Amino acid sequence: MLTSVATAMGPKLEYRMSDWDLLLTDARIATMRGETPDYGVVGERAAIAVSNGRIAWIGEASELPAHRAREERAMGGRWLTPALIDCHTHLVFGGDRAAEFEQRLRGSSYEDIALSGDGIMSTVRATRDASADELFDAALPRINALANEGVATVEIKSGYGLDIDTEIRMLEVARRLGDESCVDVRTALLAAHTVPPEFEGDANGYIDFICDQILPLVVERKLADTVDAYCESIAFSSAQIEQLFDKATQMGLPVRLHADQLSDGGGAELAARFGALSADHLEYTSPKGVRALSEAGCVAVLLPGAFLTLAETQLPPIASLRTSGVPIAVATDCNPGTSPICSLRTAMMLASRLFRLTPEECLAGATREAARALGLLDDRGTLEVGKRADIAVWDISHPRELAYWTGTPQLAETIASGQTSGPTS
Ligand code: NIG
Ligand code: FE
């Protein structure tokens, strides 16, 4: 807005007055900008302004330009960070796997259960049997649980349908969760999760079916933002996934990969060859795989909930990911089999305890690097002018507490795209 004022010098001067929807003052702000060390903190008394759902100004309150704000709130010294992003979940599914959890505690391995026709397939059966409303009603409390901890963006994968109708139904439910909750949802087609009974002994035939039937329909209906696959001896080989990734790339969808979770299947190298947004899990990734991720600029998404639940002992190659400059994200992997965890704060806490990520790496992993893994870093993930005003407001004395406490009600409110929502009890 241009405003005219008379000056002592006589002629009128015109200057630009900022016109904002919302101005938050008396805040402490961790921008999580990668270029700024130490959480990207902006001074002691900071302010942030929002216009049209985007960040319009951020800095020391003492440097605020002339402005008008429709709403102005003093934050009482609270900490503001980018709202959290859970970049890897399977939170739409039917049934649960508590019985399998007991079976594993009695000594069966995840692979043995999968090879006996249970594991992922038991969730496939329950998901195929569930209506869209049943899947939605079961998933809504899960996404709300994430939102109540400051999450404003969640990625949800299909992969428990493995037939056209159910894969489509899962993705439609995921889109509906985005429309009807306060969380922005991104979706991934994970039809290549395991070989369904209809294609028993014919994984190649199932990959053809995904490429020729499922993927074109999903693209036509704009139901998936990315294509994911499970590269593992109990799932699909590199060669099979290459065929799928070729097709996805031709159809304009970015790819991601469940890579090297239970064994080194060259998953990291495969993800890197296709310029995947991310390679996820990575417990068994080799030094060659880490080099490939680094050269490709591929994000390593670490999933400590699955590591914990499977009682894995092989750690992802954290030190070499760090020294090679591979961006590291942290996510819940919320799913009924390997990570029954609906709390990104818990995943951050586990990443620090199990993988020894620093609290700053954990928070970056659940904000900036998670946005990068979704291909959304230009839009969100840090607090910077022009990005979506997705802001979490915390009752904490330092952001290092976010990977330290878990289960503690420290979220004061979340501002998503400039709109406030409080935690629900
Ligand atoms: O990310 N690794 C494969 N997919 C899931 C687990 C799926 C399941 O067991 O239901 C994961 O851990
Ligand atoms: Fe997963």
Side-chain angles (χ1 to χ4, degrees):
M1 183 178 61
L2 286 177
T3 300
S4 303
V5 286
T7 70
M9 305 294 287
K12 283 181 175 179
L13 273 185
E14 285 205 325
Y15 70 98
R16 193 165 287 277
M17 163 106 83
S18 299
D19 204 353
W20 296 321
D21 296 327
L22 176 66
L23 174 62
L24 307 176
T25 59
D26 191 19
R28 285 182 287 175
I29 300 182
T31 65
M32 299 311 289
R33 273 167 48 101
E35 307 75 37
T36 330
D38 206 12
Y39 299 83
V41 170
V42 180
E44 268 298 290
R45 289 173 67 82
I48 185 165
V50 177
S51 247
N52 298 318
R54 303 258 147 198
I55 297 171
W57 190 88
I58 184 165
E60 292 271 12
S62 58
E63 287 165 15
L64 268 169
H67 62 272
R68 258 215 306 251
R70 257 174 283 291
E71 185 187 350
E72 179 165 341
R73 288 200 281 137
M75 304 308 284
R78 288 198 170 102
W79 275 96
L80 275 48
T81 69
L84 305 185
I85 298 173
D86 195 351
C87 68
H88 180 142
T89 84
H90 310 245
L91 63 72
V92 172
F93 57 84
D96 69 59
R97 303 250 287 283
E100 173 186 322
F101 170 62
E102 278 183 340
Q103 208 182 329
R104 282 208 309 270
L105 290 173
R106 285 197 299 268
S108 307
S109 75
Y110 181 71
E111 288 98 320
D112 289 346
I113 293 170
L115 292 170
S116 76
D118 283 327
I120 292 174
M121 269 317 299
S122 79
T123 302
V124 170
R125 288 189 287 273
T127 306
R128 286 180 176 184
D129 281 348
S131 68
D133 282 344
E134 285 166 343
L135 291 175
F136 179 86
D137 290 347
L140 190 62
R142 296 181 197 122
I143 206 163
N144 285 338
L146 291 169
N148 280 342
E149 288 191 334
V151 173
T153 306
V154 171
E155 186 253 21
I156 302 177
K157 301 174 195 299
S158 70
Y160 291 127
L162 317 184
D163 61 21
I164 296 180
D165 286 357
T166 321
E167 286 294 304
I168 298 267
R169 188 156 76 252
M170 290 186 72
L171 292 169
E172 285 174 346
V173 167
R175 288 279 193 239
R176 187 176 152 207
L177 286 164
D179 294 340
E180 296 185 28
S181 73
C182 53
V183 174
D184 190 42
V185 169
R186 315 302 290 188
T187 56
L189 174 70
L190 177 60
H193 200 187
T194 193
V195 180
E198 296 79 6
F199 287 88
E200 203 182 327
D202 185 17
N204 289 334
Y206 180 55
I207 292 286
D208 288 342
F209 176 71
I210 301 175
C211 291
D212 300 340
Q213 312 265 336
I214 302 183
L215 185 56
L217 208 57
V218 162
V219 169
E220 187 193 309
R221 298 195 193 172
K222 296 190 170 45
L223 284 173
D225 301 309
T226 55
V227 169
D228 199 337
Y230 187 20
C231 184
E232 192 59 63
S233 56
I234 55 169
F236 297 95
S237 68
S238 280
Q240 288 158 345
I241 291 169
E242 274 186 16
Q243 185 189 332
L244 171 64
F245 279 6
D246 271 331
K247 182 83 186 196
T249 309
Q250 278 164 27
M251 300 194 88
L253 283 181
V255 298
R256 307 180 58 183
L257 189 66
H258 283 68
D260 309 325
Q261 179 187 13
L262 307 172
S263 59
D264 178 12
E269 293 90 324
L270 170 62
R273 271 202 304 286
F274 279 85
L277 288 170
S278 73
D280 304 39
H281 289 288
L282 303 178
E283 278 81 346
Y284 287 84
T285 296
S286 65
K288 197 165 145 247
V290 174
R291 272 198 306 281
L293 293 178
S294 160
E295 281 158 19
C298 189
V299 179
V301 178
L302 301 185
L303 304 167
F307 178 94
L308 177 79
T309 304
L310 294 178
E312 181 58 73
T313 52
Q314 170 86 23
L315 285 161
I318 308 292
S320 59
L321 289 171
R322 265 197 200 109
T323 52
S324 319
V326 177
I328 298 175
V330 174
T332 61
D333 195 16
C334 173
N335 78 74
T338 63
S339 193
I341 295 176
C342 274
S343 162
L344 188 52
R345 291 284 305 277
T346 302
M348 292 162 67
M349 180 274 284
L350 292 174
S352 70
R353 308 301 196 282
L354 299 173
F355 298 164
R356 307 204 65 79
L357 295 196
T358 66
E360 186 170 358
E361 285 173 325
C362 292
L363 182 56
T367 54
R368 183 181 71 234
E369 305 312 340
R372 199 192 303 272
L374 296 177
L376 294 175
L377 185 57
D378 289 342
D379 186 64
R380 64 192 79 173
T382 61
L383 298 180
E384 290 179 76
V385 170
K387 289 201 178 183
R388 261 170 77 106
D390 284 0
I391 304 165
V393 182
W394 306 99
D395 281 315
I396 50 176
S397 38
H398 191 276
R400 64 172 69 93
E401 285 181 41
L402 296 175
Y404 165 69
W405 288 106
T406 182
T408 320
Q410 292 166 316
L411 182 75
E413 66 181 283
T414 308
I415 297 167
S417 222
Q419 304 296 314
T420 296
S421 66
T424 53
S425 53

